[in-house]
Amino acid sequence: MTTFPLLAVLLPFLAAFAGLLLSRWPRGRARQSNGPAAGPAAHVGGTPADEDSARASRRAAWIAVVPTAAAAVLALWLAWGQGFAFLDGGARSVPVGDTYGAIDTGGVPISLTLQADDLSGLLGVLVTLVALAVQIYSIGYLKDDPRYPSYSAFISLFTSAMLLVVYAGDLLVLYVGWEIMGLCSYLLIGHWWEDRGNSRAAVKAFLVTRLGDVGFLFGIFVLGGAAGSFRIADVLAKVPEMSAGTLVAATMLLLAGVAGKSAQVPLHTWLPDAMAGPTPISALIHAATMVAAGIFLVARLFPAFAAARPTLDVLAVLAALGMLGAALAALAQDDLKRVLAYSTVSQLAYMAGGLATGSDTAAIFHLITHGAFKALLFLCAGVVIHHVGSNLMSQMGGLRRELPITFAATTVGFAALMGLPPFSGFFSKDAVLVAMEGALAGGLTDAAALLLYGCALATVAVTGAYATRAWLRTFFGRSRTVALPEPAPGTAHVIDTREAPPTMLVPVVLLAVPAVLLGFAGGLHLDAPVAVISVVLALLGAAVVYASWRSDPVADPARLLGPLRQPCEQAFYVDHLYAAVIARPIVALAGLVVRTDDTVVDGAVRGSGRSARGLSGLLRLAQNGNVQLYVSGLLAGVLLIVVGAVMFT
């Protein structure tokens, strides 16, 4: 069992390697066997080239799904061995794992340790099960995509990197997985890179998260240097001996990386744009990898953060601003995936708020339930988009009859998101709100605690509003899809009147089960007053939107925002602010550097060349092949020598 963490990491990594190098391998032999005739004609539809592509996709699907399923079994076994103890809030279990050597750096060594404890056991199950659902779902979603083999391989690499973060016993080993995830997000968000918007979104995600990772790396160095080790167990054991300044500096730097990976204010702007990637990737990023890594890291190093109170105050303020601002932005979006993206930013801020109040158990509980219902919502959104041919809710409507299974599953997901009983989000959100209410009596400064709790309650109402709006505009009202004429042979239909294929529906149905039941895993430790307030606020927000929609089903309930609608739709112009304050000044400075280099540095080089050419022109006048000029010059020189000799002797 001590090797299970290593095997769980290696299996999807080897699947990525095999998927990239082996999925298309027999194609070359098939073409050779076809002989010279298999030339240009092999690229025509229905020819061996298409058969090669189909075989490669089927092979890639097996290579991706089977190792991920095996990793999920190992993760479940590890979590079972730990007794799923983290959510009990009791004593932590003994980690299971091994050390596979050390790297001598000349200073603090890097320990190659992989281990599973109660926290990583839970997260390992979440990562592998969601990744498995995404891999199966992608088989149908990208059925005809010629780059499916590389896509599935990158998902496997993404899964392996997140598992490395989860099971790492050393901060620098964790950092390796942390950075590989950034690379995978870039590759997968930009999967359809032919569209410039997709490639720009991928670059934006890569750059913004890298910006946070600079601080993250320095935070690791501060903690490791103070503890004399990068082993997480050694670092946490040394926390009581560290000075307050060291802890605050280290945790503030780590918080930069957390804000980047988990899309928290002020580094949250990449996540909504990342919706340009395939919808299954959105589900993977939002539910189990990437954004979950930041929350997990704070929970993993929670004793260090708990000892740095100023950092918790900063985290509380950022969480308060993020949860309410993102919820308001979600209320004004027309793109269904962007609604869910801003919802993720808001829900992650809930988790960050729970951590800020000192309840890592409540934060991780909400992270687990959120992973289930947010993966469900994104996969349901993928079915809807696959069916309609558009991300925009203004082009949807009346789909509950055409997509009954997807409608039921989406209803479950939105109910869990709103925190309605008995769905999973109700229990986990209640735990977070209870922790925030407790912070009013101490743990945070009074202003930070009051701001956090007030914004959390307001966000509950807004969450009910935007979830109800998306539900109504997608599945109710008049159908806005327009049936197209029968396309030419070989042309794909934009609109399909059937449910999605089984490979897409089975993961949706299976994810609906934990979205309903997972809340009971944390035990029925409800605070009745807080639970009642939360449900009432959520229903109040839903009722306001429903009343507005009922009065005019064609109009968008977002009109209730009035003059705030445009700022909310633009996410309060944060991107515009960054462009004005950071991007454009940097571009202008870069232009100044280019002009300086061109006029000063290159100008000096070009000037020296012109000077040399000018001097060579003067010398060339004397070297023109005229013998009389040469003799005259010689006589003049002799005359000057004679005159000089006479005058100075």
Side-chain angles (χ1 to χ4, degrees):
M1 192 169 178
T2 57
T3 61
F4 280 11
L6 176 63
L7 291 175
V9 173
L10 282 180
L11 281 171
F13 177 79
L14 294 175
F17 179 83
L20 286 173
L21 298 183
L22 302 181
S23 62
R24 298 183 185 272
W25 173 66
R27 180 177 59 178
R29 294 194 307 176
R31 287 186 176 178
Q32 289 175 5
S33 64
N34 288 335
H43 299 282
V44 181
T47 59
D50 292 328
E51 296 174 7
D52 282 344
S53 179
R55 281 196 297 268
S57 294
R58 287 193 297 270
R59 191 176 299 110
W62 283 106
I63 292 173
V65 170
V66 173
T68 305
V73 172
L74 294 174
L76 282 167
W77 191 285
L78 287 168
W80 184 269
Q82 299 294 329
F84 298 94
F86 186 82
L87 298 181
D88 295 339
R92 297 295 183 248
S93 60
V94 178
V96 175
D98 206 348
T99 299
Y100 302 95
I103 299 175
D104 187 6
T105 63
V108 181
I110 301 172
S111 174
L112 303 179
T113 301
L114 292 176
Q115 62 185 29
D117 57 10
D118 45 9
L119 173 60
S120 58
L122 279 177
L123 266 294
V125 172
L126 174 66
V127 172
T128 53
L129 290 182
V130 172
L132 179 60
V134 167
Q135 288 280 26
I136 296 173
Y137 183 94
S138 297
I139 296 172
Y141 194 84
L142 280 83
K143 180 180 179 181
D144 299 320
D145 194 311
R147 291 198 295 270
Y148 171 78
S150 61
Y151 164 91
S152 62
F154 290 143
I155 292 180
S156 296
L157 184 60
F158 209 159
T159 306
S160 177
M162 183 62 188
L163 289 174
L164 183 60
V165 170
V166 168
Y167 292 130
D170 187 279
L171 287 175
L172 286 179
V173 174
L174 183 151
Y175 183 73
V176 171
W178 188 277
E179 289 301 321
I180 294 175
M181 277 199 298
L183 172 63
C184 292
S185 67
Y186 168 76
L187 295 171
L188 290 168
I189 293 169
H191 176 71
W192 292 315
W193 50 265
E194 297 88 348
D195 187 325
R196 182 171 174 80
N198 295 348
S199 61
R200 289 172 65 89
V203 171
K204 182 178 181 180
F206 187 81
L207 292 179
V208 173
T209 54
R210 293 293 75 69
L211 179 63
D213 290 351
V214 173
F216 182 75
L217 182 58
F218 280 104
I220 290 176
F221 288 155
V222 172
L223 275 182
S229 171
F230 290 118
R231 284 177 59 94
I232 294 175
D234 296 341
V235 169
L236 297 181
K238 291 288 186 179
V239 164
E241 303 174 15
M242 296 183 190
S243 66
T246 298
L247 286 171
V248 170
T251 52
M252 284 289 191
L253 289 168
L254 291 173
L255 200 57
V258 171
K261 273 291 188 290
S262 289
Q264 292 299 287
V265 176
L267 300 179
H268 64 287
T269 57
W270 67 269
L271 191 59
D273 290 348
M275 298 303 95
T279 302
I281 297 308
S282 302
L284 187 65
I285 290 175
H286 286 249
T289 61
M290 197 75 170
V291 297
I295 302 301
F296 167 79
L297 177 85
V298 178
R300 167 61 77 208
L301 300 177
F302 192 68
F305 281 86
R309 179 166 174 170
T311 303
L312 295 183
D313 286 333
V314 170
L315 183 59
V317 173
L318 296 181
L321 297 176
M323 68 175 68
L324 184 56
L328 289 170
L331 184 57
Q333 303 301 311
D334 188 34
D335 188 320
L336 179 59
K337 289 177 66 177
R338 290 180 74 88
V339 171
L340 298 178
Y342 281 112
S343 169
T344 298
V345 176
S346 181
Q347 296 302 306
L348 289 168
Y350 265 111
M351 303 168 205
L355 291 168
T357 60
S359 181
D360 55 338
T361 302
I364 294 300
F365 185 23
H366 194 50
L367 178 64
I368 298 295
T369 62
H370 175 267
F373 67 72
K374 188 53 64 71
L376 172 64
L377 284 171
F378 266 108
L379 296 187
C380 288
V383 174
V384 171
I385 294 166
H386 183 269
H387 179 84
V388 176
S390 173
N391 291 16
L392 303 180
M393 291 186 291
S394 56
Q395 298 180 20
M396 301 175 187
L399 295 176
R400 68 186 187 280
R401 296 184 183 90
E402 299 175 21
L403 304 173
I405 298 175
T406 304
F407 167 65
T410 306
T411 303
V412 169
F414 277 132
L417 173 62
M418 293 169 62
L420 300 180
F423 301 96
S424 60
F426 166 71
F427 298 96
S428 59
K429 189 173 290 187
D430 178 78
V432 172
L433 289 173
V434 169
M436 292 178 182
E437 185 184 46
L440 295 173
L444 294 173
T445 59
D446 293 341
L450 186 60
L451 176 66
L452 180 62
Y453 190 54
C455 287
L457 292 179
T459 303
V460 171
V462 180
T463 301
Y466 72 69
T468 303
R469 169 180 173 263
W471 184 64
L472 291 172
R473 285 178 61 78
T474 302
F475 294 103
F476 291 86
R478 178 176 57 83
S479 177
R480 300 178 181 89
T481 58
V482 179
L484 299 179
E486 186 67 20
T491 304
H493 287 268
V494 176
I495 299 173
D496 190 350
T497 58
R498 300 168 298 175
E499 275 275 16
T503 52
M504 295 172 65
L505 282 184
V506 169
V508 166
V509 173
L510 293 180
L511 281 172
V513 176
V516 175
L517 301 177
L518 199 55
F520 296 99
L524 300 179
H525 306 300
L526 293 175
D527 185 289
V530 173
V532 170
I533 291 172
S534 173
V535 172
V536 169
L537 287 174
L539 292 176
L540 179 62
V544 170
V545 167
Y546 178 77
S548 172
W549 175 84
R550 188 71 177 173
S551 64
D552 187 358
V554 177
D556 188 347
R559 68 184 187 277
L560 293 172
L561 290 170
L564 282 177
R565 180 174 181 177
Q566 185 65 22
C568 290
E569 188 174 3
Q570 297 295 325
F572 303 100
Y573 302 102
V574 174
D575 271 325
H576 296 76
L577 177 64
Y578 287 167
V581 176
I582 299 175
R584 283 198 288 270
I586 289 177
V587 171
L589 180 61
L592 177 62
V593 171
V594 169
R595 288 192 296 273
T596 302
D597 179 69
D598 184 59
T599 58
V600 177
V601 180
D602 287 351
V605 174
R606 289 193 295 267
S608 63
R610 286 194 295 267
S611 300
R613 291 181 62 185
L615 291 174
S616 67
L618 293 176
L619 293 175
R620 188 175 59 188
L621 294 176
Q623 298 292 328
N624 58 4
N626 190 331
V627 178
Q628 293 179 346
L629 181 62
Y630 296 162
V631 173
S632 300
L634 178 62
L635 294 176
V638 171
L639 180 61
L640 288 174
I641 293 173
V642 171
V643 171
V646 171
M647 292 180 62
F648 296 104
T649 56

